[in-house]
Amino acid sequence: MIYLDNAATTRTAPEVVEAMLPYFTEHYGNAGGIYRLGCESKRAVARARETIASTLMAEPGGIYFTSGGTESDNWAIKAVYEACCGKGGHIVTSRIEHHAVLRTCEYLERKGARVTYLDVDEDGIVSVEQLKKAICPDTVLISVMYANNEIGTIQPIREIGEIAAEHGILFHTDAVQAYGQIPIDVKDCHIDMLSASAHKFYGPKGAGFLYIGTGTKLGSFMHGGQQERGRRAGTENVAGIVGMAAAAERAYRTMEERAQKEARLRDYLIERIMREIPDAKLNGHAVKRLPGNVNVSFASVEGETVLIMLDMEGICASSGSACTSGAIDPSHVLRAIGLMPELARGSVRLTLGEENTKEEMDAVAEALARSVQKIREIAI
Ligand code: PLP
C-alpha cells in the first residue's frame, strides 16, 4: 500500500502509542481524583500542557484540551460571538475554510450574525486588502485558517494577526493542517485562538486543543464539571492528551528534516505529473505550500474515478478534503480559486507523510498517468 492521504489522517507513531498505553492500563485514574492514582493522571495532563505550549511559544495556561479540530473551531467561533454579540456580531472569515468553520459561521448567520467571506486569489491566498475593507465597528472576530487542507496554501497569518491587533479584534486561526508541519509562534503572529488536532501529526484521533491567549475572554463550550479550569467540561482523555503531547514533541523535534524530505518528494512528484500527464494543472501556491501537499486537476476526467483506479493499485489518495469526499459537487476551495467546475471535478489530492519514499513517488506518477490516460480513452 502507498499511503498519500496524510491530510485526512496520519498513522499514530509507534512511540506515541507506547507513551499512551500506561494511561489505559496502569495510570487509569481520573485526573480529578485526589488519591495518588488520580494525581498521576493530573500530572501527565499538566506535563502535556507544558509540552504543547512550548511548541507554540505560548503559556501552558493557554492550552485547553478538546476532542479535535472540529470542536476547537466550534468553540472559538461560537463563544466569541456569544460573548461579543451585544456589541455587534460581524465575523470575517475566508471562502476556503474547512467546514468546521464555514458551517459554524452559517449556523451563527441563522442566529443573526453577519459574516464576510473573504475571496482568495488563484493560488488560494486570502486578500488582505479585502480584509482591511471588511472590518467595521461591529467586527468581533477574524477567523482565517493557517494552511488549507485541500490545496496546502499557507496564509499570511502574521499580516492578518497584525491587522486584527491594530483594530482590537480577536483573531482565530484553524491550524489543524499547519500545526506539527511548520513552525508557529502565536505571540509573534498576534493569534488569540488556535485550533489543532492530534491525528494530523501522528497522534491519536479524538484529541485536539484550542489555544486561548491570556486575557482573551471566552466562555465555556461544554458545560458540566470543572475540568480545564472550568472552560471545557468532561473527564480528561488522559491517554489521548499524553499521546498528543508525545506526537507534538516529536513533530517539532523532527520538523526540519521531515519538511525538507517531504517538500523534495512533493516537488519531484509534481514535476513528474506536469511533465508526463497532458492537461494537468497544479492547484495552490507553488512555494507558500505545506511540505506534503500535492493537488492537481486533470482535464476530462472525474477525480473520483482516478481515486478508484489508484485504489486498485493500492494507492490511497483523496479528491478534495476527506470530509467532503463522496460529494458530487466540486470542492468549495477549488471553486474559490477560480477553477471551472469541470476541472475542479477532475482534481486529486495526494498528501505525503514522513514514511513516503522516492520509489513510491515514481509508482504513483506512473499509476496516475496510466489511470488518466485510460479514463480519457474510454471517454472518447
Ligand atoms: N480544520 C481543518 C483545516 C481540517 O483539515 C480538519 C480535518 O480534516 C478539521 C478542521 C477537523 O478536525 P478534526 O478531524 O480533528 O475534527
Side-chain angles (χ1 to χ4, degrees):
M1 184 186 81
I2 301 178
Y3 187 71
L4 285 176
D5 205 15
N6 285 277
T9 199
T10 54
R11 182 169 98 110
T12 314
E15 58 265 52
V16 169
V17 176
E18 199 68 17
M20 292 172 72
L21 285 177
Y23 292 90
F24 289 110
T25 51
E26 205 183 318
H27 310 303
Y28 55 84
N30 188 313
I34 55 163
Y35 38 81
R36 249 176 288 167
L37 193 67
C39 290
E40 171 49 34
S41 297
K42 192 176 178 174
R43 275 197 296 273
V45 171
R47 281 196 298 272
R49 207 183 303 285
E50 280 176 21
T51 303
I52 289 174
S54 70
T55 62
L56 290 167
M57 319 295 158
E59 317 296 339
I63 306 298
Y64 292 84
F65 295 119
T66 66
S67 63
T70 301
E71 182 188 329
S72 300
D73 287 344
N74 269 261
W75 182 7
I77 298 167
K78 287 178 184 166
V80 169
Y81 178 71
E82 206 171 74
C84 305
C85 69
K87 292 181 236 137
H90 178 229
I91 297 169
V92 183
T93 187
S94 84
R95 289 196 189 284
I96 62 161
E97 298 297 311
H98 188 270
H99 284 134
V101 168
L102 289 179
R103 298 277 184 259
T104 303
C105 288
E106 288 164 15
Y107 165 80
L108 292 178
E109 279 184 291
R110 292 194 293 277
K111 298 254 163 205
R114 204 162 56 77
V115 183
T116 301
Y117 298 91
L118 299 174
D119 294 323
V120 294
D121 66 14
E122 71 220 35
D123 293 327
I125 306 253
V126 159
S127 161
V128 173
E129 285 315 307
Q130 200 190 357
L131 166 66
K132 287 183 191 158
K133 285 191 199 129
I135 292 171
C136 57
D138 68 348
T139 306
V140 292
L141 176 69
I142 296 170
S143 179
V144 174
M145 70 200 319
Y146 213 112
N148 185 264
N149 45 303
E150 293 191 37
I151 55 174
T153 299
I154 301 169
Q155 299 299 335
I157 289 298
R158 191 193 285 121
E159 219 179 314
I160 296 171
E162 278 167 6
I163 295 167
E166 274 165 27
H167 291 82
I169 299 167
L170 289 175
F171 176 38
H172 166 250
T173 185
D174 174 340
V176 168
Q177 293 293 336
Y179 182 85
Q181 316 301 334
I182 53 174
I184 299 178
D185 183 329
V186 283
K187 292 197 180 130
D188 185 47
C189 293
H190 303 277
I191 295 167
D192 297 302
M193 288 161 290
L194 175 143
S195 306
S197 183
H199 73 102
K200 307 291 187 180
F201 52 95
Y202 308 95
K205 292 167 185 59
F209 67 86
L210 178 66
Y211 159 78
I212 308 176
T214 329
T216 305
K217 290 188 177 61
L218 204 68
S220 304
F221 184 54
M222 297 288 204
H223 297 94
Q226 277 304 305
Q227 292 90 354
E228 298 297 284
R229 285 87 77 211
R231 279 174 128 174
R232 199 279 186 180
T235 299
E236 293 87 346
N237 170 13
V238 181
I241 291 168
V242 166
M244 175 162 59
E249 187 279 321
R250 178 181 179 275
Y252 278 86
R253 175 165 40 81
T254 61
M255 180 175 287
E256 215 175 301
E257 202 182 321
R258 197 159 39 89
Q260 271 174 20
K261 180 194 147 193
E262 280 176 27
R264 225 178 11 251
L265 292 181
R266 172 198 69 189
D267 294 341
Y268 175 70
L269 180 58
I270 291 173
E271 198 265 321
R272 275 205 68 172
I273 293 172
M274 292 302 142
R275 188 157 39 88
E276 294 169 31
I277 307 181
D279 298 321
K281 180 192 180 301
L282 176 70
N283 298 313
H285 199 282
V287 185
K288 293 174 192 160
R289 181 180 201 102
L290 286 174
N293 179 286
V294 177
N295 188 313
V296 273
S297 289
F298 303 104
S300 318
V301 303
E302 287 280 347
E304 300 284 311
T305 317
V306 178
L307 292 192
I308 295 165
M309 293 179 78
L310 290 181
D311 185 38
M312 288 191 314
E313 301 208 31
I315 299 165
C316 309
S318 151
S319 69
S321 79
C323 317
T324 57
S325 67
I328 305 148
D329 280 344
S331 114
H332 65 286
V333 176
L334 298 177
R335 272 178 302 170
I337 61 170
L339 234 61
M340 296 305 282
E342 193 263 341
L343 205 50
R345 279 198 203 93
S347 91
V348 174
R349 180 186 74 174
L350 308 147
T351 44
L352 283 64
E354 59 186 21
E355 292 182 333
N356 292 122
T357 61
K358 184 159 181 281
E359 290 67 40
E360 288 181 334
M361 298 305 107
D362 285 324
V364 170
E366 282 150 30
L368 258 177
R370 268 196 305 277
S371 306
V372 170
Q373 192 186 353
K374 206 176 275 177
I375 298 167
R376 284 176 177 163
E377 277 168 7
I378 291 167
I380 291 168

